[in-house]
Amino acid sequence: MSEAALELEGIEKTYNAGRENEVQVLRGATLALERGQVTALVAPSGAGKSTLLHIAGLLDVPDAGRVGIGGRDMTGAGDRERTRVRRRDVGFVYQFHHLLPEFSALENVMLPQLAEGRPKAEAEARAQDLLASVGVADRAEHRPAALSGGEQQRVAFCRALANAPRVLLADEPTGNLDPATSDRVFGALMQLVRETGLAALIATHNLELAARMDRQLRLDEGRVIAA
């Protein structure tokens, strides 16, 4: 495969709820992301964008097609290898932050690094740097319940980037925020992506946010096309 940070080729996915209720969600979806590129994926609810992101992030397996990360074909990889690559090379951000409530913001950003074997002092230093870069350094010791929605999501961005992944996948990352907070949080996300030079695929309904990205793709009847 190519050296694209992320490459999907001919991805097919059908869900079965009984023979008469087959739903083909993806029909040959193909895309490639380069490092430093921020791409919007625009699609209505139910069009399959979450399925596409899950396959791209090795959380789900396609019925057909190939998935490549950093030039490596992951299609036939076993569970252990998929988990290793996902943990090291892919960052996820969702509409809801999914931070661990019993840990502080700082600890939430440290945990992925500790799971990869990084020394605690290094993990803490990187977590502090990431939190400072999105303007929540003064909230580092607070647990998620004590943070605003925008602060929670900025911490979630930092956690997703803690292990310096090749690829960031975001599913409606500002969809749960009011417009003003959404704009600020999206700005913080774009800053992080630009600073790290990773490839980002961001699913959104917000056409104004999509227009601020490097390019826009649309998921239409299971295929990826230029928006």
Side-chain angles (χ1 to χ4, degrees):
M1 301 191 72
S2 73
E3 289 300 320
L6 170 68
E7 187 171 9
L8 304 181
E9 181 180 342
I11 299 297
E12 307 269 348
K13 188 67 176 181
T14 298
Y15 291 107
N16 298 297
R19 180 173 295 180
E20 297 181 0
N21 294 308
E22 276 194 352
V23 178
Q24 188 171 8
V25 179
L26 299 175
R27 305 168 182 263
T30 296
L31 64 83
L33 302 182
E34 305 297 332
R35 285 187 59 83
Q37 185 178 69
V38 184
T39 299
L41 180 64
V42 180
S45 296
K49 64 182 183 301
S50 294
T51 297
L52 184 72
L53 291 175
H54 286 169
I55 289 173
L58 307 179
L59 290 169
D60 199 356
V61 179
D63 298 327
R66 298 197 300 170
V67 179
I69 294 180
R72 180 169 185 175
D73 187 351
M74 296 300 302
T75 310
D79 288 344
R80 180 175 296 181
E81 178 65 5
R82 291 168 65 85
T83 298
R84 186 182 69 83
V85 172
R86 181 172 61 243
R87 194 167 58 190
R88 183 190 63 197
D89 290 335
V90 183
F92 292 94
V93 180
Y94 299 98
Q95 181 174 346
F96 300 98
H97 59 81
H98 296 302
L99 298 172
L100 296 175
E102 65 271 30
F103 295 103
S104 68
L106 182 69
E107 291 166 336
N108 266 280
V109 183
M110 289 175 62
L111 286 171
Q113 303 176 72
L114 297 176
E116 280 294 282
R118 179 172 291 190
K120 183 178 180 181
E122 290 183 20
E124 182 173 354
R126 176 161 174 77
Q128 289 174 333
D129 287 345
L130 285 168
L131 293 172
S133 73
V134 296
V136 291
D138 61 336
R139 311 291 282 168
E141 299 303 327
H142 290 72
R143 293 185 180 183
L147 303 176
S148 70
E151 289 169 341
Q152 291 169 344
Q153 199 65 324
R154 278 180 278 174
V155 174
F157 294 159
C158 294
R159 180 183 59 185
L161 299 182
N163 283 331
R166 295 174 184 267
V167 179
L168 176 70
L169 302 173
D171 194 355
E172 298 287 355
T174 63
N176 197 41
L177 305 173
D178 65 77
T181 303
S182 173
D183 187 68
R184 290 196 301 272
V185 169
F186 181 79
L189 173 60
M190 291 294 285
Q191 177 185 334
L192 280 175
V193 171
R194 297 301 187 202
E195 289 175 352
T196 55
L198 51 69
L201 181 63
I202 302 175
T204 181
H205 285 105
N206 190 321
L207 298 181
E208 291 183 4
L209 292 185
R212 293 165 60 181
M213 302 185 212
D214 298 324
R215 64 171 177 156
Q216 296 81 46
L217 300 176
R218 183 161 55 92
L219 193 57
D220 184 46
E221 295 186 353
R223 296 179 176 86
V224 177
I225 60 176

